[in-house]
C-alpha cells in the first residue's frame, strides 16, 4: 500500500537531489577533513563552501555558522553554552511554556546547577505573552530562549519583538528555528537574534545534521569537547555527507520555497475545508494566520487522538498526535494545554503537517476516509453522551 505521509513536521524524506549530493562523501571522497594529505583538502573545501551556502541562506557570515548533529544538539549547545559561560552575571533563563522538549529538558537539567527558569505563558492561539515576558526579566536574566515556530500547532512567534525586549535589557536571545527553516525565509540580521538553531531533516535533508548560528562576539562554551574541528567550537569529525546535504537542501529551498508554499498551503486549506464541511464538533488549534502554512492541528471532540491515529495508520495515512517526540506517551500535549484547551480536547487532537510531495489526490483520499473513521470512533466512545 502506498502510504500517505502527513507528518512532515516530524521529519521529511530526503530530496533525491540532496541524496545525490551526499553520495560521493560516503565512499569515493571518504577522507577525514582533518588529515594532512591533498585529498583531504577537497573535503575541507566542501565543508567551507557548505558553510558559506548556509550562512548566505540565513543572512549570516561564514564564521557565525557551526555544524552540529541536529536541532537538539544546537539547542543544548546554545542554552548550556550560554548558561555556563555567563553564570557569573546571573543564573536566570526565560523560555516559553510551548517549547520543544529539547529546550524544556535542557532548562530542567540546568536547574540542578542552580539556574532558575521562568516559563512565559501563551495566549489561546499560542503566541507568547510579551507583557509577561517583560515582567519576567530580572537583573540576573542572561538568556531568553523562545522558539520561532511551534512544531505542534504551527504558531509563529513575534521574534523581532522578543529580540527588542531582550536587546533593551541586554539579554541574549536564542531561537529554536527548527520548524521555520526551509519553510519561510528569514535573515538573522533582520531578526537580530544572538543564537539560532536549525535542523536538516525538517527540510528534505538527512537526520543527524544541524546548524547553530552564533552571532559574532557572542561568548559561549562548547558543548562537545575533543579535537579542534569547527574552530574548537564543536569537536568531532565532521559529518561531511550531512554537511554537503544540508547545503544542497538550502539551495533547493531557496529556489523552490515560495512555489512550494503556495501548493502546500492550498492543500492544507483544502483539507481544512473538507474537515469543516464533513465533520461536526471539531476545533482548530493554533493561530489562524500567524502560523506555518503546512500545519493543521485539529481537535475532534469525544474521541482520543491515539485511536484516530491508529485507524488512519491502518489505511496507510500517517499523522501525529501532539509532537512526534512524545507520541509514545499518553500525556496530553503540553503545547495544547498551554493554549488553555480542555485536557479532553487536547487528547482528541491530530496534527496534519503537509510537505512538498503531497498531492491533491492524497488530500481527497484523506478527506474521504476521515469522516467515516471519526463517526465510527464516536459511536464507540463513552465520551459521547447523546
Ligand atoms: N525543535 C523543534 C521545534 C522540533 O520540531 C524538533 C524536532 O522535532 C527539534 C527541536 C529537535 O530537532 P532534531 O530532531 O534535529 O534533534
Amino acid at each position: 500500500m502506498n502510504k500517505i505521509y502527513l507528518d512532515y513536521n516530524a521529519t521529511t524524506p530526503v530530496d533525491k537531489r540532496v541524496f545525490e549530493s551526499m553520495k560521493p562523501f560516503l565512499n569515493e571522497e571518504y577522507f577525514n577533513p582533518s588529515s594532512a594529505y591533498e585529498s583531504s583538502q577537497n573535503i575541507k573545501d566542501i565543508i567551507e563552501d557548505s558553510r558559506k551556502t548556509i550562512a548566505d541562506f540565513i543572512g549570516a557570515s561564514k564564521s557565525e555558522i557551526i555544524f552540529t548533529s541536529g536541532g537538539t544538539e544546537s539547542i543544548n549547545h546554545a542554552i548550556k553554552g550560554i548558561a555556563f559561560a555567563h553564570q557569573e552575571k546571573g543564573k536566570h533563563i526565560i523560555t516559553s511554556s510551548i517549547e520543544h522538549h529539547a529546550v524544556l529538558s535542557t532548562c530542567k537539567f540546568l536547574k540542578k546547577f542552580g539556574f532558575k527558569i521562568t516559563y512565559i505563558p501563551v495566549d489561546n492561539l499560542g503566541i507568547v505573552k510579551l507583557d509577561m515576558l517583560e515582567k519576567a526579566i530580572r537583573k540576573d536574566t542572561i538568556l531568553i530562549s523562545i522558539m520561532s515556530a511551534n512544531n505542534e500547532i504551527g504558531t509563529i512567534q513575534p521574534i523581532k519583538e522578543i529580540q527588542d525586549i531582550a536587546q533593551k535589557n541586554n539579554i541574549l536571545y536564542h531561537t529554536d528555528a527548527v520548524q521555520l527553516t526551509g519553510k519561510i525565509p528569514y535573515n538573522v540580521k533582520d531578526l537580530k537574534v544572538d543564537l539560532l538553531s536549525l535542523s536538516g531533516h525538517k527540510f528534505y535533508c538527512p537526520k543527524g545534521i544541524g546548524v547553530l548560528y552564533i552571532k559574532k562576539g557572542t561568548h559561549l562554551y562548547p558543548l562537545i569537547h575533543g579535537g579542534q574541528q569547527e574552530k574548537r567550537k564543536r569537536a568531532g569529525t565532521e559529518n561531511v555527507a550531512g554537511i554537503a546535504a544540508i547545503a544542497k537542501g538550502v539551495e533547493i529551498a531557496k529556489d523552490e520555497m515560495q512555489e512550494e508554499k503556495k501548493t502546500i498551503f492550498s492543500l492544507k486549506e483544502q483539507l481544512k475545508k473538507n474537515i469543516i464541511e464533513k465533520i461536526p464538533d471539531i476545533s482548530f488549534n493554533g493561530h489562524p494566520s500567524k502560523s506555518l502554512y503546512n500545519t493543521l492541528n485539529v481537535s475532534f471532540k469525544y474521541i482520543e487522538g491515539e485511536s484516530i491515529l491508529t485507524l488512519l495508520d491502518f489505511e496507510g495515512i500517517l499523522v501525529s498526535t501532539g509532537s512526534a517526540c512524545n507520541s509514545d506517551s499518553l500525556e496530553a500535549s503540553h503545547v495544547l494545554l498551554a493554549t488553555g484547551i480542555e485536557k479532553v480536547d487536547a487528547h482528541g487532537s491530530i496534527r496534519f503537517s503537509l510537505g512538498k510531495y503531497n498531492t491533491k489526490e492524497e488530500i481527497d483520499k484523506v478527506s474521504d476516509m476521515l469522516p467515516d473513521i471519526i463517526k465510527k470512533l464516536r459511536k464507540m466512545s463513552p465520551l459521547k453522551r447523546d
Side-chain angles (χ1 to χ4, degrees):
M1 178 178 18
N2 267 345
K3 303 272 186 203
I4 299 182
Y5 186 69
L6 298 176
D7 202 16
Y8 280 78
N9 285 8
T11 194
T12 59
V14 174
D15 184 299
K16 283 197 173 62
R17 293 163 289 179
V18 170
F19 183 50
E20 288 304 319
S21 76
M22 308 170 62
K23 276 183 175 169
F25 307 104
L26 296 169
N27 44 28
E28 291 140 37
E29 305 264 341
Y30 52 83
F31 311 104
N32 187 326
S34 299
S35 297
Y37 30 77
E38 184 69 35
S39 309
S40 286
Q41 188 56 47
N42 181 35
I43 310 294
K44 278 188 210 123
D45 293 345
I46 292 290
I47 294 176
E48 291 318 307
D49 292 349
S50 300
R51 200 186 306 282
K52 171 92 173 70
T53 307
I54 308 282
D56 290 348
F57 182 63
I58 65 168
S61 311
K62 245 182 86 182
S63 61
E64 296 174 314
I65 300 294
I66 64 167
F67 292 110
T68 67
S69 67
T72 301
E73 186 191 317
S74 297
I75 291 165
N76 269 262
H77 188 163
I79 299 177
K80 291 178 190 163
I82 291 295
F84 290 121
H86 294 257
Q87 56 183 320
E88 297 299 314
K89 186 187 164 210
K91 290 187 119 179
H92 181 232
I93 295 173
I94 299 177
T95 186
S96 84
S97 53
I98 61 161
E99 297 296 306
H100 188 270
H101 286 285
V103 170
L104 295 178
S105 302
T106 303
C107 289
K108 193 171 163 201
F109 169 78
L110 285 172
K111 281 185 176 179
K112 295 195 176 112
F113 297 85
F115 288 89
K116 300 276 182 279
I117 316 292
T118 301
Y119 301 89
I120 306 298
V122 294
D123 65 18
N124 62 345
L125 301 175
I127 304 268
V128 163
K129 293 186 173 166
L130 293 178
D131 55 334
M132 304 278 275
L133 173 62
E134 292 218 70
K135 279 193 200 126
I137 290 171
R138 314 188 325 199
K139 269 205 188 89
D140 60 344
T141 309
I142 52 170
L143 178 68
I144 295 174
S145 184
I146 292 180
M147 68 198 325
S148 309
N150 184 269
N151 43 306
E152 294 188 37
I153 53 175
T155 300
I156 297 173
Q157 297 300 334
I159 310 169
K160 282 190 192 172
E161 280 94 323
I162 296 170
Q163 174 55 21
D164 282 346
I165 295 172
Q167 202 173 19
K168 210 169 65 193
N169 291 282
N170 201 18
I171 298 166
L172 295 168
Y173 177 33
H174 163 251
T175 191
D176 166 0
V178 166
Q179 290 294 343
L180 194 73
T181 308
K183 296 190 183 95
I184 295 173
Y186 59 82
N187 183 309
V188 285
K189 295 285 178 299
D190 291 343
L191 298 180
K192 295 195 280 169
V193 293
D194 300 290
L195 300 124
L196 178 143
S197 297
L198 65 94
S199 176
H201 75 103
K202 306 293 182 178
F203 61 101
Y204 312 100
C205 299
K207 293 156 193 67
I209 182 70
V211 164
L212 176 61
Y213 158 76
I214 307 170
K215 188 164 121 191
K216 196 168 176 231
T218 309
H219 171 56
L220 77 168
Y221 287 161
L223 180 70
I224 296 176
H225 299 88
Q228 298 183 7
Q229 293 90 353
E230 298 293 284
K231 299 213 166 62
R232 295 173 191 259
K233 288 184 186 136
R234 198 275 184 185
T237 302
E238 297 87 341
N239 172 3
V240 183
I243 291 171
I246 200 168
K248 186 72 186 172
V250 304
E251 270 171 15
I252 296 171
K254 197 168 125 229
D255 292 345
E256 300 177 5
M257 214 162 22
Q258 280 312 108
E259 210 42 48
E260 271 164 23
K261 179 179 168 181
K262 277 192 231 148
T263 323
I264 296 171
F265 180 68
S266 86
L267 290 178
K268 184 186 87 165
E269 286 300 293
Q270 187 195 335
L271 179 62
K272 187 173 176 183
K273 186 169 166 276
N274 289 339
I275 291 175
I276 294 171
E277 281 173 8
K278 296 182 183 178
I279 306 175
D281 296 330
I282 49 129
S283 53
F284 295 100
N285 303 308
H287 201 287
S289 58
K290 290 175 191 158
S291 184
L292 295 174
Y293 54 82
N294 76 322
T295 307
L296 189 65
N297 192 308
V298 197
S299 285
F300 298 92
K301 272 198 183 298
Y302 316 122
I303 42 179
E304 297 265 317
E306 283 73 25
S307 338
I308 307 172
L309 183 147
T310 308
L311 292 199
L312 285 173
D313 195 9
F314 280 145
E315 303 294 344
I317 300 164
L318 311 183
V319 296
S320 191
T321 58
S323 91
C325 306
N326 56 14
S327 64
D328 280 346
S329 96
L330 284 182
E331 298 258 300
S333 146
H334 69 282
V335 174
L336 294 176
L337 294 181
T339 65
I341 76 169
E342 296 291 328
K343 213 169 190 172
V344 59
D345 292 333
H347 273 302
S349 85
I350 287 288
R351 176 189 73 185
F352 301 92
S353 52
L354 280 60
K356 67 179 179 180
Y357 299 120
N358 288 130
T359 62
K360 186 178 176 312
E361 289 66 38
E362 288 181 332
I363 298 303
D364 285 344
K365 189 163 172 207
V366 174
S367 306
D368 280 348
M369 311 209 84
L370 193 59
D372 287 344
I373 288 175
I374 302 295
K375 213 181 212 171
K376 193 164 147 190
L377 288 172
R378 279 182 178 163
K379 240 185 205 159
M380 297 186 300
S381 170
L383 295 170
K384 180 102 172 125
R385 275 145 291 270
D386 48 328

